[in-house]
Amino acid sequence: MRAEKAGPLGGSGQADRPPIGLPVEPGDEVWGQGARDTETLALVVRQAATCMGGAGAMVHRHDRAAGMLRLVAASGLPRSIEEEWANLPDEQDIAPGRALRRGGFVCAAGGSPGAGSAAGVAIPLPGADEPVGVLTVLTTGSGEPDEVQRSLLRALAGWAGARLDGGDVPSPVDGPAAGAERSVRMGELTTALAEAVTSHDVVKAVATFVLPPFEADGLVFQMLESGRLNVVGTAGYPPEFLTQLDRTPLAAYAPIHDVMRTRTTRFVESKAELARRYPTLRHLAEASPKAAWAFLPMIASGRSIGMCVVSFSEPRSFSDEERALLTALSGLVGQSLERARLYDVEHARARELQRGLLPKVLPRLPAARAAARYLPAGRGEEVGGDWYDLIPLSADRVAMVIGDVMGHGIAEAATMGRLRTAVRTLADLEMPPDELFSRLNELVSDLGLDFYATCLYAVFDPVARTCTYSLAGHPPPIVVHPDGTVHSPEVAPDPPLGAAKPPFEIHQLHLPDESLLVLCTDGLVESAARDTDQGLAQLRQMLPLATAETTCFAAADEDADVRCLEALCDTVVSALLPDHELTTDDAGLLIVHTRCTAACDVASLDLPDDPRAAGEARQFIRERLDAWGLGDLVLTTELLASELVGNVVRHAKGPIRLRLLRSRSLTCEVYDGSLTTPRIRHASHTDEGGRGLQLVAAMSRRWGARYLHDGKCIWTEQDLELAQAPEVPPAGIG
């Protein structure tokens, strides 16, 4: 019946364990209580220990027939201490027995020295007819609880008693029983705060369980940061009034300065009283839509961290019970909000880390335009490991990648960044998809047994009009043809990276000109209502209509093309994730509009495998560049081709082929039948050769080599006068 980890308010650090003497296994119910009751008792003991700053806390159930107090929940206590307190005679002269017999608070010296406790504070758990058990806190000091602590312990005891006495919580009532309702609501608040993760969750819990029983209608949370009060959560206030409160210097806000300096609650019952006690705030009182306030300091880790203001639309007085409960609320909420704020900061940094690891812009390439979406989980508590990328390769080829590191958290986001960097590095080496996956698989395997990633890596060749890809546990690509037909290859993916054993399968698609490639992660197509196959089927069904509505195949220019792709991404996300805030997994989407190279922009020539090859290459280059109107590049292209062809003749083997490609740059490629790797040498002053590749590097914008199944290609690129289109960010990330 123990929770797996510490509650939101900490505790003494001791792991929770099943009660002594009870055969409790994970998921078992104790004393006939439901799973929620079991969790509630675990939360009660943690909160009670925190309230008193105690060494630990326990809940005993009264077994009247046996005259025993049976331990049913404990927090912060070693196993040996739990054994000592597991079964207590109800007549024993210690704190739990005294509290049961007296029906009220008991503070008894002695406690449990083995737990570092000097005293025990106990309070009976009220039942329908008589106490059903006892809540006990082992304290490190001998002092009795103050009224604030008593109020909170009474609320916790009432909540635990209701659970042990059959699980029925008293219904809210009016009149004299209103105090009981408030105590119950405090217990409900304890549970809600235990489940709260973010600051928004804390504010929502207080608004739900505190405002109604006190008939309050306003709530403001302000955190102290760098001498200023920042509004971090509100309820019941108009935005225009909140702008006057946010970023207010502490010294300028007298009630809060007073409350935080003294760490004492302040209750103001009317606007007249506020103006009288704090004259400098007369203008703020007049502008406020509220007429009475409870200013509650939030204390955490022994310091004032901010202020919680509970407000009322009408003037009112506060009873002693209301003052005690609201004061107890401030300490309870302060610790929860501090934890939530730490989570908020950590989570925001993690999200920024993740966004920083994703591409800030997607390049506009001659053969591809793209748009993408990354959507973090709406309800997830951690960042994820989804990523995508679009990578330019030589000869206008384009690499497309999308992947998903399994799990959520900082480690997974960091792994995603490492994989994306590795993919870019390996892609620059012009590796085919299957070989690239073999290297990635080694990288993921080296990270440990708990790391796995699914991935799709594809290379589009606009000249050959093919898309070559490999899958590692990832959904396959979907192709939308210009006529609106949709094709999704039925291939069996290899296992995820980290679990696969190379070699990886390589697949190939023939792409007509002006096709769309749609790549996604499982978070986009999988949900509680559908599996991955059903989600992919829904995506395939909606794409024809969606592409027709966004006119992706009829864009007039590059800017219009990108805008259409952005609109298509929005349409897909809206259709597949209509309730994004309820999702529990990250989602990635990459849509690429491919464009094939026109035949008139490609020219190739087979060359003889002898010294005549260089001369024929130069003649071919002069004729073709003159026809393309690129006469200014003839001399440099002739020199580059001569060096590359000469190296083949001297150091490699045929067959030799020359290919020219005109695009935003001029690409000159020389193919041969050797797999040897060209390297730039450091030639000395007396060497007669060895400077050819240095010359190639100096005269081209970039150069490199890629390897084929029967040889290699050495390529160079030279800039043309055509202006490159600007890069734009993929809208909607995050």
Side-chain angles (χ1 to χ4, degrees), residues 12 54-56 76-78 80-82 84-85 110-118 138-140:
S12 61
L77 300 176
S80 59
I81 303 303
E82 290 187 358
E84 293 179 13
W85 293 75
S112 180
S117 168
L138 299 181
T139 61
T140 55

Side-chain angles (χ1 to χ4, degrees), residues 190-224:
T190 299
T191 302
L193 291 178
E195 299 172 352
V197 175
T198 67
S199 299
H200 174 75
D201 295 337
V202 174
V203 175
K204 182 179 178 181
V206 175
T208 302
F209 297 109
V210 175
L211 298 190
F214 287 93
E215 298 181 346
D217 53 14
L219 183 66
V220 176
F221 281 93
Q222 292 177 282
M223 297 289 289
L224 181 62

Side-chain angles (χ1 to χ4, degrees), residues 375-638:
L375 295 99
R379 298 180 63 182
E381 298 183 5
E382 301 285 353
V383 295
D386 290 18
W387 91 95
Y388 57 84
D389 213 344
L390 190 72
I391 308 169
L393 304 177
S394 61
D396 281 354
R397 294 175 311 122
V398 181
M400 296 160 279
V401 60
I402 191 165
D404 181 5
V405 177
M406 295 184 183
H408 292 83
I410 295 293
E412 284 74 14
T415 300
M416 175 267 285
R418 296 174 67 177
L419 291 182
R420 178 174 174 250
T421 301
V423 168
R424 277 196 159 263
T425 301
L426 298 174
D428 285 342
L429 296 176
E430 305 277 359
M431 286 187 177
D434 56 341
E435 185 177 347
L436 184 144
F437 269 11
S438 295
R439 302 292 182 88
L440 274 187
N441 188 65
E442 294 176 3
L443 173 60
V444 177
S445 298
D446 289 343
L447 296 176
L449 298 176
D450 295 332
F451 286 93
Y452 302 97
T454 67
C455 192
L456 185 161
Y457 180 81
V459 175
F460 170 59
D461 187 335
V463 177
R465 304 190 174 200
T466 58
C467 178
T468 306
Y469 66 96
S470 289
L471 297 171
H474 204 84
I478 298 177
V479 182
V480 183
H481 293 176
D483 61 1
T485 58
V486 175
H487 171 60
S488 182
E490 295 183 3
V491 297
D494 287 290
L497 300 172
K501 295 184 180 298
F504 288 85
E505 291 290 332
I506 194 164
H507 313 281
Q508 192 171 83
L509 290 170
H510 177 76
L511 294 184
D513 194 16
E514 304 284 345
S515 295
L516 290 181
L517 272 173
V518 180
L519 316 178
C520 66
T521 61
D522 59 359
L524 182 71
V525 295
E526 188 178 50
S527 69
R530 61 173 185 258
D531 59 25
T532 301
D533 290 338
Q534 292 171 328
L536 288 173
Q538 182 179 346
L539 177 58
R540 289 191 295 267
Q541 292 172 359
M542 64 156 297
L543 280 173
L545 179 60
T547 52
E549 291 178 347
T550 54
T551 63
C552 286
F553 298 114
D557 53 35
E558 187 174 284
D559 291 336
D561 192 7
V562 173
R563 287 195 298 270
C564 289
L565 292 173
E566 297 287 352
L568 181 57
C569 282
D570 291 336
T571 301
V572 169
V573 169
S574 298
L576 294 178
L577 299 177
D579 299 318
H580 171 246
E581 294 302 320
L582 302 179
T583 60
T584 58
D585 194 10
D586 294 11
L589 172 66
L590 177 66
I591 302 180
V592 183
H593 187 184
T594 60
R595 298 195 173 196
C596 299
T597 303
C600 61
D601 290 326
V602 182
S604 62
L605 176 68
D606 292 329
L607 298 173
D609 189 9
D610 58 45
R612 295 175 300 164
E616 293 186 15
R618 288 192 293 270
Q619 178 63 32
F620 179 76
I621 287 170
R622 285 193 295 270
E623 294 174 355
R624 178 51 55 187
L625 294 191
D626 284 342
W628 282 344
L630 301 176
D632 291 344
L633 297 180
V634 168
L635 291 179
T636 55
T637 308
E638 283 183 338

Side-chain angles (χ1 to χ4, degrees), residues 75-268:
S75 176
L77 300 176
R79 173 65 72 176
S80 59
I81 303 303
E82 290 187 358
E83 291 174 350
E84 293 179 13
W85 293 75
N87 297 286
L88 306 175
D90 56 15
E91 295 296 328
Q92 190 169 350
D93 192 25
I94 56 176
R98 292 185 192 177
L100 182 70
R101 294 190 298 273
R102 296 181 184 179
F105 268 105
V106 168
C107 182
S112 180
S117 168
V121 175
I123 178 175
L125 308 182
D129 300 316
E130 61 183 11
V132 295
V134 181
L135 169 63
T136 306
V137 181
L138 299 181
T139 61
T140 55
S142 57
E144 294 192 3
D146 58 27
E147 187 55 38
V148 173
Q149 292 169 325
R150 287 173 180 262
S151 295
L152 183 54
L153 289 177
R154 278 195 293 265
L156 293 172
W159 186 238
R163 291 299 184 185
L164 284 182
D165 196 28
D168 294 328
V169 179
S171 302
V173 293
D174 297 324
E181 179 202 348
R182 296 189 186 110
S183 294
V184 169
R185 286 301 183 105
M186 290 290 285
E188 293 175 324
L189 176 65
T190 299
T191 302
L193 291 178
E195 299 172 352
V197 175
T198 67
S199 299
H200 174 75
D201 295 337
V202 174
V203 175
K204 182 179 178 181
V206 175
T208 302
F209 297 109
V210 175
L211 298 190
F214 287 93
E215 298 181 346
D217 53 14
L219 183 66
V220 176
F221 281 93
Q222 292 177 282
M223 297 289 289
L224 181 62
E225 297 173 354
S226 302
R228 291 182 176 271
L229 292 162
N230 299 326
V231 176
V232 297
T234 65
Y237 278 90
E240 56 272 14
F241 178 76
L242 294 174
T243 58
Q244 302 181 52
L245 300 180
D246 199 20
R247 301 294 299 166
T248 304
L250 179 59
Y253 203 169
I256 293 186
H257 183 272
D258 186 21
V259 169
M260 295 191 67
R261 178 178 55 82
T262 62
R263 298 187 181 182
T264 305
T265 56
R266 292 287 186 268
F267 297 92
V268 179

Side-chain angles (χ1 to χ4, degrees), residues 245-317:
L245 300 180
D246 199 20
R247 301 294 299 166
T248 304
L250 179 59
Y253 203 169
I256 293 186
H257 183 272
D258 186 21
V259 169
M260 295 191 67
R261 178 178 55 82
T262 62
R263 298 187 181 182
T264 305
T265 56
R266 292 287 186 268
F267 297 92
V268 179
E269 300 182 345
S270 66
K271 286 190 175 185
E273 181 183 349
L274 181 66
R276 184 176 64 255
R277 294 173 63 175
Y278 305 104
T280 59
L281 293 183
R282 184 180 298 273
H283 69 288
L284 199 61
E286 294 175 352
S288 175
K290 307 304 178 184
W293 301 265
F295 295 95
L296 313 176
M298 292 190 294
I299 312 297
S301 303
R303 61 186 179 87
S304 299
I305 64 171
M307 175 72 61
C308 173
V309 182
V310 178
S311 56
F312 308 81
S313 294
E314 299 294 334
R316 62 161 297 165
S317 59

